[in-house]
Amino acid sequence: MSSHYNEIKEKRQILRDIYGGMMTIADLTRELGYGSPKSARAWLATVGVEAVRVGRGIRYETDQVAKAIVDGRGMV
């Protein structure tokens, strides 16, 4: 495997250990170091991570978030 895929795998495991398979907007705000959920939503829109409705709430797949974070490092 390439180093890029290893980085995604590592980040995915770290996020899954902390947040499980799905993340809330509060989780994303904290993980990304933003001060407001509005900033996290803007980041989500720019990287193309799609929302998933779970019950009454909106969640984001941890695997997609991990890939977006690693891709944002300029490794691709």
Side-chain angles (χ1 to χ4, degrees), residues 51-70:
V52 177
R53 181 167 292 282
V54 178
R56 296 185 325 160
I58 301 293
R59 307 247 188 234
Y60 303 90
E61 290 186 37
T62 303
D63 295 356
Q64 288 185 8
V65 172
K67 184 177 183 319
I69 289 171
V70 173

Side-chain angles (χ1 to χ4, degrees), residues 14-32:
I14 291 167
L15 293 179
R16 280 182 166 265
D17 287 347
I18 297 169
Y19 304 108
M22 303 292 278
M23 298 175 74
T24 65
I25 195 66
D27 295 337
L28 283 164
T29 302
R30 183 174 37 257
E31 182 64 32
L32 297 170

